[in-house]
Structures are given as C-alpha cells and as structure tokens.
Amino acid sequence: MEVIPEKEKEVKKMSEENGLIYRISGPVVTAVGITPRMYEVVRVGDEGLMGEVIELHGDQSVIQVYEETSGIKPGEPVVRTGQTLSVQLGPGLLTQIYDGIQRPLEDLEETMGAFITRGVDADGLDLKKKWEFDATASKGDEVSAGHVIGTVQETETIEHRVMVPPGKSGTIKSIKSGKFDVTQTVCTLDDGTEIAMMQEWPVRTPRPFVRKYAPDVPLITGQRILDFLFPLAKGGTAGIPGPFGSGKTVTQQQLAKWSDAQIVVYIGCGERGNEMTEVLTEFPHLIDPHTGKPLMNRTTMIANTSNMPVAAREASVYTGITIAEYFRDMGYDVALMADSTSRWAEAMREISSRLEEMPGEEGYPAYLSSRLAEFYERAGRVQTLAGDDGSVSVIGAVSPPGGDISEPVSQGTLRIVKVFWGLDAGLARQRHFPAINWLSSYSLYPQALDQWYRDNIASDFPEIRTEISALLQVEAELQEIVQLVGSDALPIDQQLTLEVARMIREFFLQQNAFHDVDTYSNLNLQYTMARAILAFQDEAKKAIAGGADLESVVNVQARTDIMRGRFEEGYEERIEKLVKEMGKQIAATMEEN
Amino acid sequence: MSGKEYRTITDVKGPLVFLNKTEPVAYGEIVQLRLSNGTMKNGQVLDTSDDQVIVQVFEGTSSVDRQTGVKFLGDVFRLPVSKDLVGRILDGAGRPRDGGPAIVPDEMADIIGAAINPYSRESPESFIQTGISAIDACTSLVRGQKLPIFSAAGLPHNDIALQIARQAKLVGSDDDFVVVFCAMGITAEEYNFFVHDLERTGALENSALFVNLADDPAVERLITPRLALTAAEYLAFEHDYHVLVIYTDMTNYCESLRQIGAAREEVPGRRGYPGYMYTDLAMLYERAGLVKGKKGSITQFPILTMPGDDITHPIPDLSGYITEGQIVISRELHQKGIYPPINVLPSLSRLMNAGIGDGKTREDHKSVSDQLYAAYAQGKELRGLVAIVGEDALNERDLQLLKFADIFENEFLRQSRDEDRSIGEDTLDLAWNLLTNIDTKYLVRLDQKWIDKYHPTEKKE
Ligand SMILES: Nc1ncnc2c1ncn2[C@@H]1O[C@H](COP(=O)(O)OP(=O)(O)OP(=O)(O)O)[C@@H](O)[C@H]1O
Ligand SMILES: [Mg+2]
C-alpha cells in the first residue's frame, strides 16, 4: 500500500528521533522526543514493552502499554515502529487461543512458563509452519483485492481461502501450488507485487467490502427461546445484559458450540481464566452437529482475562472482530461472541481517566457510545470484494452493575443492537435457565426472517410463534390477578391458559445447557414442540367443554411423557406419536366424568 | 539512587505524598520515609514523571512534613518467601508479628503477582468436602475455586470460615490443606478468635497468617492480601501444597482503595469506589486455581460484609462478577437460631457440576441437590402466601412443601460447629430421609432410578 521511498524516509526519521519516557501512571506512559502518528505501535522502556499511541499533546505522546509497567522509569527509551496495531491474518488462526494483542498463549507459555511476565513478542501466526497451498487462480488472471487466488485446508473442516490483500490488484505473472510457509510468495503480479498467504491488517480499521445486505437468514443456535422467540439473523447483532451469575457466559458458550456459523471467534474480555480453560478443554471433544467434527476446528479464541493488562483488554475486541471480518471476506458466516463488553468499556474508562479526559456518565469517556456503535457496525451480512456472500454476527454480553440496565454500557448497547436477550436475576434464582426474560426481551429480525421460516421449516411457523408469545403475555396479565385472589378464583378456561403457559415455560423455554440431549434442539424439533403445546391446549379445551376436569386433563400420562421425553435420545422420532396419544388420553378424561 | 534521601515534598494529601523532581524513580518502586521525629514509614510510587513523584504511604501521612526524608529503594515490593512461612504470623506489611526471627528467604517474590496464562490452567474438578451439608450438597466447592462468603455485620461468617478451614478435605485422599489467613482491618477480638481456634485445633502450625487489624494503617491493607497470595502461590506452585486462602474482610480492603482514589482526585465510579475496582479485585481473586504440571492448588475463601445487607452494593456485586459463585449468609436464619445460617437460594457454586457425581461424590448428588433446592424454594415462597391466606387455602402438595422448608432449615442446614458430615452417608442420606416428608409424586426433580435406589421407603432392593 505504501510507496517505498516514503517508507524509507519514515524509517530514517524514526531512527533520528530519540524518545524518552517522561511519565508513568499505571498502564499509561507519556513520552517526549518522538513524533509518532496516532495509534502507532511503540516500544517502551529498556524491556521494549509494546504500547500504542492514543493521544498527542504538544510535544508529548501518550501511550497505552499492553504489559505491566511497574519497575519502569522516566528517562528510559521509547522507540517508534512506524506501524499501527495490526493482526497477522492467514492459515493458522483457527484452533488458536490468543491474548488481546494476538500473542498465542501457547507460545507465551513456552517462553514464560505458566505465569505471564512481560517483554516477550510472539507472532500471531506460526511463520515456519508449511501449509499445502492449492492455487485456484492462474497466470494471466486479472485479480483485485479480496479475490481468492488459492486455498489451504486449514483444519479438517475449514478451507482457508487465500485472498489478494486489500489495496493490491493486477494481472498474475506467476502462481504456484505447493508447500509454503505463510510469508513465502505464492503469487506475483505484473507490477512485481508479491503475495504471500499472510496479510496484516490494522485492527481499528474495518476491512473493506462491497456493500451490506439486509440480513434475511437466521443464525440457528439450537436454543429454543432464542431461535423461536427472539431470533438473531446471520450478520445481526445481539446484546445479553444480566447480573452476575445469570447465565451470560453459559449462553455465549452455547452459541459458540451450537450455532450454525461456519467460523466462531470467542473473546473472553476481562473475565475469568477458568472459563477460557473450560472452553479450551471442552471444545476439542465436542462434535459440531453440522460437520460431525470437533468444534475446535472452526474456533479462534481471544483470552484477555480480568487480571491481564487492561490496555490489551481494550484491544482484544478489535483483534477479535478483525479476525472475524477476515473470515467473512472469504465468504464465511462468522459468529463473534464478546464476554463481556462491559469489561471492555471499563478498560476504556480506566485509560480515559488516566488521560484526565473529561468524564461522561458514570466516569465513562464521552466517546463510549460511539465506540460501542463502531464495534457493532462491523457486524453485518456483506457482499465481499470477491463478490461472495459473507457475514459477521456479533453477540455481546453486558455486565451492568447491580443488574441495573439503566447504566451507560447497557443503554449504549441497546441503542444499537437489534436483539435484546435480557437475563433476569429472579429467573436465575428460580433456576429457570436460560434465565432470559420472555416479556422484556425482543428481536427486531422476525419480519425479515419469516419468509425463510415459511420456506424451510413450516408455512405457519410465524403464526405458531405469535400464538406462543401471546399466551405468555396473557399469562403475565392473569398472574397479576392470581396474586390478588389465588388461581382457584379464575374461570376454568383461564386456569387452562395458566397451565398451557406453564408448559411453555417449563417444557419449552427452560433448556438445560449441561444436559447431553436437551442442550441442543434443531428448528424442526422446536416447531414440533411448540405445536405439541398448542395441541394440548386444543384438546384440553375440547375435553373441558365436554365436562372433563382440569386436573385430570393436565395429568394425563402422555403429556408427562412429552415433557420428560425431551431429555431422551430419539425424542424427535417419538414426539408426534406421543402427541396423538395425548389427544386420545385427554379425550378419555371426558368419559371418566 | 537508593541511598539518596530527598527532602522535596511539596504536598501531602490524605495518604499521598507529592515530591518534586528526583532522579528517575520507577513506577511501583518502594519508598522509605524518615520523619523528623525519627519514625520510619513505607510507601510505594503511584505515579512518576520527570517533574513529580506521587507516593502512597502505607502507614498514613500523619506527622509527615516538608522536612521528611524520602528514600527510593530501587525495587518493587517483594515478600521473602520460604517454606518456613508455614506456622508463622506476620503483620500486614510482611514483618514477623509473632516475636519469631525474620524469614530467611528462598526467594524474594514480587507481590503483584503475574497472571496465570489461561492456556496453562487446569480445570478445577476435585470435590472438597467441608463437612457442612448446606455447602457440600448445594454449593459444592472444588479445589482451585474462589468462593466468597457474602455476609454482613454481626453474622457468624468467621465461625463458618474456621469450620471450613478445620474440616476441608478431599474425599479419598489424605492431602492436607495449608491455610493462609489474611486479616484486613478486622478487630483484635475477631483476630483473637481466629488465632485461638487455629491454636486449639493445632491448625496454627499448618497456617501462615498475615495480619492487619482495625487499628493498623488502612493503606497497608492494600498490600496485605497481595502478601498472603504471594505466599500462597509460592507454597502451592513451588512446594506442592494445597492452599486454602481465607481473607477477611474484603469490605475494609475496598474502603482503603476508595480512600486512595479520593486522595488522587480520581473520577469515582459507583458510590465513590474507583472505576478500576473490578480489575483490582480480579488481580486478587484470579490468583486461585490449578496450573498444569503443578501438584499444588490455591482455593480462595474471601469473606466480605455487605454494607446494609445489600447484595447490589459494588463490593459484593463486583466480587460476584469475578468469583466462581458465592455463599450467602442470611440474617433471617441467624435470627431463627440456625447455624450455619446459609441461604442456599441465592448461593451458587459455578464449578459444582465439574466436581460432583459418580466417582466424585455420589451418582445421585445432582438430582438430590436440585430437588432440595426446588422444594425449599417453593416451601419458602408458600410461607409468604400462608401469611396472607392462611394454611387452610393450601392443597396437600403445598402443605408438604411448606412443612419441608422448616424441616430443611432445622435438620439439614442446622448442624453444630464441630459437626463434620461426610457427603454420602451423612449429608445425602440425610437429604433422602428428609425428602420422605414429601410424596414421591411431587418429587419431580428426582430421577426414578435414584428413587429406586436411595429412597428410604420406596427403594427396590
Ligand atoms: N442454560 C443453562 N442451563 C443450566 N444452567 C445454567 C444455564 N445458564 C446458566 N446456568 C447456571 O448459572 C450459572 C451462572 O451462569 P454464567 O456463568 O453464565 O453467569 P454470567 O451471567 O456469565 O455471570 P458473570 O457475569 O459473573 O460472569 C452457571 O454456572 C450455571 O450453573
Ligand atoms: Mg460470565
């Protein structure tokens, strides 16, 4: 992208500069004697710690440092690198676990041992590993940025598509298949431009695409309450706010496991170390229901836990979303989970307060909401530069203090995302999981997705959904009366409605993430289960009109079997039969009376 | 630079001292202050630049004046560590408090501690039996977990912590725990209570104590837990000990943090606590766990008293966001005279699933635990209803559940301070016995196969 003579000038200028540390305050270091660009990466102190310029102020450059700063002194050197914070993109991203600035945690363990010390550099990609590159473009082809020129089987299930990096184009002079490492030239263009499998991209800049489409395909997660009532579209955005212990992480992990994205980027941003370890130990053994291969094959993880440096936490979401966009550019559907965006916002707040910026609400910087918006804007279903279809779906957890979502991060998020999965402390306390409140949650996608459901699942899918949500609404209203007079005082048809709603809650909405069978329901099964509930309602109404009592209708064995059956293998094959049986048994209750 | 003494103090504000230009001083460096009257104080560099250095003084700044001499010691805060820490009592800054000799260090360990690489962690999954039914059955603890006790003023959290410290063991293993105890701003009376109990049971020889009491310097509290955790890491990861860290009271720690923030005129976060309190607490709580290839482990029991019994207060709230569950102590149960007054409903152990079941505790554990929880939750809710409509309005099922809630509190939760119940024969079997008070047709959370095997009156043999 940059013309060479200019770059040489730059390097010369940089080496003439003699930067020194002027001040250190936690992760923020001020340097004098250098004139870097905004967001340029610099090396700080005798140990050469990595930092990024975040403010220019007279002759001072303010730097956020990605590693612990204790023991560093004013007067130590600061050196420019001329580069902005970037990630390395190419084969080798999948199955990896990185820190917030794309250092592989495995490499860090090798050089530092089990505890993360500082001053160690590590490449995001293994530069030595040889990959089998299979050229798909040929000599003489006219190619431009984003064009796929060859493929690499990166993992058992994922084909990595090697693309012409943004900013480059021309006619292919030579291209060869074979074994290469990621820095070797695999393709040369007419003008001498050399293309390797690896490209770099600055994390704070969205990668280019042709245009955004309106999402119209659901991201299927296998989680009943999500898919059925509050669906997310491929390329869409969702926020999951909830107090501690309400199920944000479990929900995010469920999505990482079961959603039908082709690539998953999971960012543990300022959360627990053990949770990342859990993903690391579990995923290689979990089988992707869509490919039959280990889930790890499609996953990249970023782990910058709560006790790792905050500046790197701030960077971690950008590192993650850039990797996600890169796979999107290959034409994949990517799902990105960020747990938790509140910790990211807090990192911004901490840095901002060290900069003595004018604080906005609750001490967060005034630019909090624009940063949130910019981040979620990087989601979307796009036409890639190569003309394919690709998407990045973004699901962000939010951790509001005291569970109160009137705070700035929740509010800033809700203004942007199209899906709101509101976790409820009360439900979690009742062990109703997933503790997603069905009355306050919403999705703005159903309209756009309904045609897809009609075409692919059932022509009346949207109507069934509406009936189910309506029943839950009616229940909420009836519950208010019950609080006052008790349920026995209600007319029988309303008592039945309460029973039906209870069935929806306990049988359909509740879903145990830790149960081998219940953890995932495909859409067809979800639809059948919803139909079973409505069938119960219809049969029960008829029976009651015919003189049956509610108690015996509710207690028919087949209904219990339907409800318990969801924990058993082969349920999908049995449920239709059970529904018929339930119909017969309910009808029989009329004769009893 | 060490050796040179500066007399360039310009400002003193709360626990902070501001100095003018010195030789370059490192961020985090330790500082010694010599007052005009000869008293020595210690501090640490919080901010350093060419023009100004800000020092936080652990012992507070009373009597500090512009004549006070300030010496920079050229190193960050380190604790002398050795195996000999076990059996010793140190003060809140790591000096012997038991009249014993100075620790001969094997190593001088940086007390900030480095983060465990998530890739190098091992998932905690070994059940620790505490002998307390409420915990073992409903919020099971595993080795390497951080599980705080959320309590409030006047509740017996110390007794519970001590009982855990005394009784904690791995079933089927004779690995013993070493206790690292860290006191932050507790009263001398509370402290004596701990020490006497540890002495009485002979556990003191197997403990290392770091003690900052209510009348000790408040700012020192910010380093006391770091010393304790540094000792714990050394014992666990260099000497294979299984370490149980008990620290109390986190609320005092957070108050000190707030004090520093206010003195620095930082923009406060919620209720005046610093915006970085989450990160700061995480730097303590995350120093728990297991590390691949190391035999030892660190299990943490932080104790905090919730101001105003309010669980949404920033101290319990931020803690809950970091720890792996919480044990909540209830004033209501305490007032009913129930010990240990653990309210299992808001309590949670997030690592429980990994630590229980066949081969770990017992195959029926999960099922029984879910059933106890559900029945007690419903019974407790019915109490509210009965207060309005009276017992007559209840059906048979509700009456049984209502009665069960009382039985659960009186017979399951309640146990004596030295009663050490085993998970199987004592705790789970007791649970089954108590569940006979409810018709099996209402016990929907219990798998039929466990009813067939364990139900005292319905089992098939
Ligand atoms: N779908 C589910 N099925 C079963 N259990 C669940 C489910 N969701 C949550 N839980 C239970 O709730 C506990 C807490 O969930 P989780 O760790 O996801 O909370 P969180 O909202 O991420 O909390 P924090 O903000 O503290 O990280 C889990 O350990 C688990 O016991
Ligand atoms: Mg979580």
Side-chain angles (χ1 to χ4, degrees), chain A residues 244-250 271-272 433 511 513-514, chain B residues 321 350:
Chain A
F244 68 80
S246 57
K248 297 179 291 296
T249 304
V250 174
E271 292 287 315
R272 302 175 182 82
F433 289 121
Q511 188 168 2
F514 302 108
Chain B
Y321 270 123
R350 301 183 192 212

Side-chain angles (χ1 to χ4, degrees), chain A residues 93-140:
Chain A
L93 289 167
L94 296 173
T95 74
Q96 264 298 356
I97 178 162
Y98 294 113
D99 75 352
I101 48 174
Q102 212 206 5
R103 296 184 302 178
L105 290 178
E106 191 177 353
D107 293 0
L108 295 189
E109 183 189 71
E110 235 160 69
T111 48
M112 308 172 174
F115 291 83
I116 300 182
T117 55
R118 64 186 186 194
V120 175
D121 272 338
D123 285 300
L125 297 181
D126 184 339
L127 303 186
K128 293 204 197 78
K129 179 165 177 172
K130 300 265 188 205
W131 297 90
E132 190 70 51
F133 174 76
D134 198 358
T136 54
S138 341
K139 185 174 169 184

Side-chain angles (χ1 to χ4, degrees), chain A residues 54-309:
Chain A
I54 52 169
E55 191 180 279
L56 297 173
H57 189 72
D59 60 345
Q60 300 185 343
S61 309
V62 184
I63 300 157
Q64 62 174 350
V65 179
Y66 294 122
E67 300 177 79
E68 240 301 307
T69 51
S70 65
I72 302 195
K73 291 188 195 120
E76 290 186 24
V78 178
V79 180
R80 291 183 57 187
T81 65
Q83 286 177 331
T84 46
L85 183 66
S86 303
V87 285
Q88 298 180 333
L89 301 166
L93 289 167
L94 296 173
T95 74
Q96 264 298 356
I97 178 162
Y98 294 113
D99 75 352
I101 48 174
Q102 212 206 5
R103 296 184 302 178
L105 290 178
E106 191 177 353
D107 293 0
L108 295 189
E109 183 189 71
E110 235 160 69
T111 48
M112 308 172 174
F115 291 83
I116 300 182
T117 55
R118 64 186 186 194
V120 175
D121 272 338
D123 285 300
L125 297 181
D126 184 339
L127 303 186
K128 293 204 197 78
K129 179 165 177 172
K130 300 265 188 205
W131 297 90
E132 190 70 51
F133 174 76
D134 198 358
T136 54
S138 341
K139 185 174 169 184
D141 285 359
E142 202 67 56
V143 293
S144 57
H147 210 111
V148 177
I149 53 170
T151 60
V152 169
Q153 196 65 40
E154 183 174 352
T155 63
E156 221 178 334
T157 44
I158 301 296
E159 174 191 88
H160 194 106
R161 298 171 190 152
V162 178
M163 296 171 288
V164 177
K168 299 190 174 163
S169 63
T171 310
I172 295 180
K173 193 162 81 186
S174 71
I175 184 165
K176 47 197 170 188
S177 297
K179 272 190 174 288
F180 299 97
D181 68 42
V182 293
T183 61
Q184 285 173 311
T185 303
V186 292
C187 172
T188 314
L189 303 184
D190 260 355
D191 64 355
T193 303
E194 296 184 337
I195 298 173
M197 284 187 271
M198 178 173 84
Q199 48 174 284
E200 292 190 23
W201 188 260
V203 296
R204 295 184 196 277
T205 311
R207 285 176 62 88
F209 52 84
V210 177
R211 65 191 176 100
K212 268 193 187 178
Y213 300 118
D216 58 9
V217 177
L219 181 79
I220 299 162
T221 68
Q223 311 306 300
R224 294 186 290 265
I225 184 164
L226 305 187
D227 289 347
F228 206 81
L229 294 184
F230 311 112
L232 174 61
K234 289 203 170 94
T237 51
I240 321 179
F244 68 80
S246 57
K248 297 179 291 296
T249 304
V250 174
T251 307
Q252 296 266 38
Q253 291 187 354
Q254 286 295 93
L255 295 179
K257 286 175 190 167
W258 309 126
S259 68
D260 67 343
Q262 290 155 304
I263 303 287
V264 167
V265 177
Y266 193 97
I267 310 173
C269 174
E271 292 287 315
R272 302 175 182 82
N274 275 335
E275 287 172 351
M276 299 312 296
T277 312
E278 194 182 307
V279 176
L280 269 177
T281 40
E282 210 180 355
F283 275 38
H285 306 288
L286 286 174
I287 298 300
D288 181 349
H290 312 286
T291 61
K293 293 291 184 313
L295 279 170
M296 205 62 192
N297 284 339
R298 63 166 194 182
T299 310
T300 293
M301 275 184 280
I302 319 279
N304 210 95
T305 57
S306 53
N307 56 341
M308 286 160 74

Side-chain angles (χ1 to χ4, degrees), chain B residues 92 102 145 163 198 226 234 241 296 366 430-431:
Chain B
Q145 185 169 14
Q163 190 168 0
L198 292 171
R226 295 188 160 80
Y234 175 79
Y241 283 108
K366 176 93 180 83
L430 173 63

Side-chain angles (χ1 to χ4, degrees), chain A residues 278 431 514, chain B residues 124-128 133-143 145 147 324-325 344 347-357 360-361 364-373 423 428:
Chain A
E278 194 182 307
R431 302 288 199 260
F514 302 108
Chain B
E125 54 181 28
S126 315
F127 173 75
I128 297 177
S133 291
I135 297 175
D136 290 351
C138 301
T139 53
S140 317
L141 169 71
V142 298
R143 201 153 69 179
Q145 185 169 14
L147 191 62
E324 286 144 349
V344 299
S347 300
L348 170 73
S349 164
R350 301 183 192 212
L351 303 182
M352 175 166 176
N353 284 331
I356 64 168
K360 291 178 172 160
T361 52
D364 56 326
H365 188 155
K366 176 93 180 83
S367 214
V368 171
S369 162
D370 287 348
Q371 183 61 66
L372 286 176
Y373 188 97
I423 178 67
L428 292 177

